[in-house]
Amino acid sequence: MRLTRRFFALFLLAFAAAAAADTFPSKPIRLVLPFAPGGASDALARLLAPRLSEALGQPILVDNRPGAGGNVAALAVLGTPADGYTVLMASSMLTTNKFLYKKLSYDPEKDFAPVAHLGGGPYVLVAHPSLPAANLGDLLSLSKTKPLFYASSGIGGGSHLAGELLKMQTGLRMTHTPFRGGGPAAVAVLAGEPPLLFGTIASSAAHIKSGTLRAIGVTGATRAPQLPSVPTLDELGAKGFDVTTWDALVVPAATPKPVVERLSAAVMKVLRLPEVAAQVRQMGYTPTGSTPEELGSFLKAETAVWARVIREADIQAE
């Protein structure tokens, strides 16, 4: 009798999930961002939202919830029903927060289901022109004779971890200087205090072209289309160095699979639109798109890399 009741209950759950997927979406979808308005990820979300609305037939409402390294937004999404109507647009927090925070009230791997990779691109290591270093070799030599400092958007952020990984791989000596966001960090580096930064392509390209910042190298496996004359750090001697900034969509883990697949397919459709792809590239990103399974594999690989870096560098978020 117990087995019969359990089977019946599971059947009803499966039937309800299938029914919900057949009618999904039937109301507006909330896209929650762990970023403040005005940044690259916010711009990407606001570019994609109206196109996704057309693809899904429902409004997409962008909801900025910055704070606590993305944890405010993550908990806001996990506090809603797992029905696909509340989606988290996240980045490295999915692969780092588990190791950065001693007490995290959720598990990024277990509590979220991957939906789709949106896009990504490399950072570019830039220097103030007053720093006598034109390439990575110069930096390595200089770091042996004087203290070097590099700015980042904050402790545990992608630009911070990129610096720590480069230090581990090359022996470069430099000290991290965190700021409250990429904007303040860039302003400080433009003034030369500190003189180094792993900046995004979108925020750095104009300064590189004008000469107010000097490009040392990009952090990806290949050169950035927006800066074709700037070599990769791998080319400069940091073999295998490959760090990118990226954004992806996830939902609460219990969200029905057909709903997840519907969302993923809509993302793929939108990112394939020529005008959307062109605008994403202008932001310094490569439009990616992915199946949920492909995003899951990507997140596992990223998690393994940053778990080691955070542990060996002994990084803890405030």
Side-chain angles (χ1 to χ4, degrees), residues 150-276:
Y150 76 100
S152 85
S153 58
I155 294 174
S159 55
H160 174 200
L161 297 179
E164 294 304 312
L165 181 58
L166 185 62
K167 287 163 61 177
M168 289 179 185
Q169 289 193 201
T170 64
L172 178 64
R173 300 173 185 175
M174 61 180 181
T175 301
H176 175 229
T177 306
F179 287 82
R180 293 186 178 275
V187 169
V189 174
L190 284 167
E193 298 180 358
L196 292 165
L197 170 71
F198 288 86
T200 63
I201 299 292
S203 64
S204 303
H207 295 296
I208 293 169
K209 291 172 183 176
S210 69
T212 52
L213 290 175
R214 179 189 300 124
I216 302 294
V218 296
T219 65
T222 59
R223 295 194 180 196
Q226 301 85 353
L227 298 169
S229 65
V230 179
T232 67
L233 291 174
D234 175 272
E235 290 178 73
L236 295 174
K239 296 303 180 184
F241 195 86
D242 184 10
V243 176
T244 58
T245 177
W246 49 269
D247 289 293
L249 300 185
V250 295
V251 289
T255 303
K257 186 175 180 180
V259 170
V260 172
E261 291 174 344
R262 176 85 171 92
L263 289 168
S264 182
V267 170
M268 291 286 282
K269 179 180 179 180
V270 167
L271 289 175
R272 286 172 178 161
L273 296 173
E275 67 274 18
V276 171

Side-chain angles (χ1 to χ4, degrees), residues 101-128:
Y101 292 86
K102 286 186 176 180
K103 296 181 180 179
L104 197 63
S105 57
Y106 69 96
D107 187 321
E109 293 180 80
K110 295 179 181 179
D111 294 338
F112 286 107
V115 174
H117 195 300
L118 298 178
Y123 294 99
V124 56
L125 175 57
V126 293
H128 189 269

Side-chain angles (χ1 to χ4, degrees), residues 26-47:
S26 58
K27 61 181 181 180
I29 296 171
R30 187 161 60 110
L31 180 58
V32 180
L33 276 62
F35 318 104
S41 295
D42 180 70
L44 178 61
R46 295 181 188 279
L47 168 66

Side-chain angles (χ1 to χ4, degrees), residues 1-10:
M1 179 65 73
R2 288 181 180 177
L3 286 175
T4 302
R5 288 178 178 173
R6 184 180 179 186
F7 175 81
F8 185 65
L10 291 173

